[in-house]
């Protein structure tokens, strides 16, 4: 028995072959004649810096600047100690903490956007845009008394350190600085690290 191949089948096979050759040729051309495309993705940078005036043992107008390239939430720890730096550059901290209104004075102005959290941090209540600064956290801070003297007669001085940190404001689903850090802490502990 002879099988007959219809003209319709031959045309379909020819079209399929033609399409295969055309697609293959096009792909070969694209792979050999196209310059590579450079990935221009740039991750965001989140950082901040303390901006303050320090003159004649008085620290004033303490604010935090967003030095990153994306909106950020800012928080600050204010660390107040007695310390001295020895001739080798090593800092020594006195065991007793200075007492506010006895050893030093510090003024936190009201209505500048800062709130004190239950965890001891101060949180700025608004997002801070790149290159922008927060409201004033500390309007003035200065020693009232001289610091204690060590057993070798070393004079300790008042140290008021502003430890600022920033976290990306968008993408975490947080609506405040406190919430952003709480979420970051929870996410970090869920990742085992």
């Amino acid at each position: 028995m002879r099988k007959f191949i219809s003209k319709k089948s031959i045309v379909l096979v020819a079209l399929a072959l033609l399409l295969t050759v055309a697609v293959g040729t096009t792909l070969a051309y694209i792979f050999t004649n196209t310059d590579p495309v450079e990935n221009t993705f740039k991750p965001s940078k989140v950082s901040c810096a303390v901006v303050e005036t320090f003159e004649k043992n008085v620290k004033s107008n303490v604010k935090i600047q967003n030095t990153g390239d994306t909106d950020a939430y800012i928080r600050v720890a204010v660390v107040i100690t007695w310390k001295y730096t020895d001739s080798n550059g090593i800092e020594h901290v006195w065991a007793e903490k200075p007492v506010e209104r006895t050893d030093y004075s510090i003024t936190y102005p009201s209505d500048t956007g800062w709130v004190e959290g239950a965890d001891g941090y101060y949180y700025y209540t608004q997002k801070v845009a790149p290159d922008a600064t927060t409201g004033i956290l500390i309007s003035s801070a200065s020693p009232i008394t001289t610091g204690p003297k060590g057993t070798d007669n070393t004079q300790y001085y008042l140290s008021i350190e502003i430890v600022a940190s920033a976290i990306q404001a968008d993408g975490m689903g947080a609506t405040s600085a406190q919430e952003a850090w709480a979420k970051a802490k929870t996410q970090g502990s869920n990742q085992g690290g």
Side-chain angles (χ1 to χ4, degrees), residues 8-97:
K8 197 176 195 183
S9 296
I10 293 174
V11 169
L12 286 176
V13 169
L15 276 174
L17 272 168
L18 184 61
L19 282 173
T20 303
V21 169
V23 168
T25 303
T26 302
L27 289 174
Y29 176 80
I30 289 172
F31 287 128
T32 58
N33 293 324
T34 305
D35 291 331
V37 177
E38 185 178 328
N39 183 358
T40 56
F41 174 76
K42 180 182 169 194
S44 291
K45 175 184 166 195
V46 181
S47 60
C48 62
V50 177
V51 178
E52 64 187 8
T53 303
F54 189 76
E55 211 172 284
K56 297 181 182 177
N57 286 339
V58 177
K59 186 182 289 264
S60 60
N61 299 320
V62 177
K63 302 183 259 188
I64 310 303
Q65 180 180 16
N66 179 353
T67 57
D69 60 8
T70 188
D71 289 352
Y73 286 123
I74 307 288
R75 77 174 177 179
V76 169
V78 179
V79 182
I80 303 173
T81 58
W82 295 115
K83 76 170 46 170
Y84 89 93
T85 306
D86 67 21
S87 59
N88 295 321
I90 298 172
E91 290 185 336
H92 301 267
V93 177
W94 190 257
E96 293 179 31
K97 185 176 179 179

Side-chain angles (χ1 to χ4, degrees), residues 103-175:
D103 296 321
Y104 68 94
S105 67
I106 191 164
T107 305
Y108 297 95
S110 59
D111 300 327
T112 60
W114 289 96
V115 295
E116 185 175 7
D119 57 1
Y121 285 98
Y122 291 87
Y123 293 89
Y124 196 62
T125 56
Q126 301 162 12
K127 293 179 187 180
V128 181
D131 296 321
T133 58
T134 64
I136 294 174
L137 170 65
I138 298 172
S139 57
S140 177
S142 61
I144 295 174
T145 63
T146 57
K149 289 193 176 187
T151 54
D152 62 352
N153 216 24
T154 304
Q155 181 67 54
Y156 283 75
Y157 61 90
L158 183 71
S159 171
I160 302 174
E161 296 178 76
I162 311 301
V163 183
S165 51
I167 192 168
Q168 184 172 329
D170 297 323
M172 294 187 69
T175 57

